[in-house]
Amino acid sequence: MEDRVQQFHLDAQRPRDAKTPKEIERLRKFLYKNQEYRFTEREQSQLFSAIQAHYAAHADLPDESAKEPALQLIDDALKMPFTVFTTSQKKTFLKWHAKLTGEGDGKLSSAAAVVAPDRAEYQVIDLIGDTVTCMTDEGDDFTVDLKGSDAGMVAQLRSQFEGGAAVTVTLDLGRRTLLAARTEET
């Protein structure tokens, strides 16, 4: 199962092309057929990341019909039991669904981002060396170099993430440092 999930994750990272709708359809069928399976936290994270990549590739397309495959995928993901996706992941899916359907225009979240403090929590989606990739509540991702952060906290983050846990970090974006790392409860 882990290899199959990893393949969905890798396929979703490729640039959008003519094969993308077929890949999305395969992922939808996979989720439906395996909704009773208890995915590990790492597998959940990889499936979430795959859906995020498909969402990002379709979110800003001008043609509504071109957004349809990603919208159907997110709709299916919302219907999955909590053994497939966590509550926090489903909250993110709801935001993406609202954006794709035009129900959420993002104005409130953009305005909130302008006045938000430099310290905030983000979900970790990747960790390579001292560079962490995080996701905002709006589903956008960004990277932060953690070389200036406390080495013990970075080691704790690495241990949690590599152990397959869904990890949330508190970052000081002004100083670009890690303030805390915690695992999310499912």
Side-chain angles (χ1 to χ4, degrees), residues 9-38:
H9 174 74
L10 293 174
D11 288 346
Q13 305 308 314
R14 291 193 333 250
R16 193 171 94 55
D17 60 13
K19 293 182 181 178
T20 303
K22 290 180 182 176
E23 290 171 4
I24 291 173
E25 186 60 29
R26 276 198 339 253
L27 179 54
R28 288 180 64 210
K29 288 179 181 176
F30 174 81
L31 289 172
Y32 180 76
K33 288 179 182 177
N34 294 290
Q35 62 185 317
E36 299 303 318
Y37 181 78
R38 181 154 182 84

Side-chain angles (χ1 to χ4, degrees), residues 41-171:
E41 288 182 18
R42 184 169 186 85
E43 291 168 337
Q44 286 177 334
S45 179
Q46 288 181 327
L47 288 170
F48 179 83
S49 180
I51 293 171
Q52 177 189 18
H54 288 304
Y55 161 77
H58 289 83
D60 296 324
L61 295 176
D63 183 13
E64 293 299 316
S65 64
K67 294 179 183 182
E68 192 63 28
L71 182 60
Q72 290 174 344
L73 177 60
I74 291 170
D75 192 47
D76 287 353
L78 283 167
K79 296 174 184 172
M80 292 292 119
F82 290 98
T83 56
V84 180
F85 295 111
T86 65
T87 302
S88 64
Q89 290 170 333
K90 287 190 175 199
K91 286 179 183 178
T92 303
F93 292 149
L94 282 171
K95 291 176 187 175
W96 294 346
H97 190 276
K99 184 174 180 186
L100 287 174
T101 59
E103 294 170 12
D105 58 9
K107 290 181 184 173
L108 178 62
S109 60
S110 296
V114 172
V115 297
D118 287 342
R119 297 171 188 223
E121 289 188 345
Y122 302 98
Q123 182 174 358
V124 175
I125 57 175
D126 203 4
L127 178 65
I128 299 173
D130 287 331
T131 303
V132 63
T133 304
C134 299
M135 182 176 58
T136 65
D137 287 340
E138 291 80 26
D140 301 320
D141 60 274
F142 64 96
T143 60
V144 176
D145 187 350
L146 299 176
K147 288 183 182 167
S149 298
D150 177 80
M153 277 197 278
V154 174
Q156 176 189 1
L157 167 63
R158 181 170 286 108
S159 172
Q160 291 170 339
F161 185 76
E162 289 176 354
V167 181
T168 298
V169 292
T170 304
L171 299 174

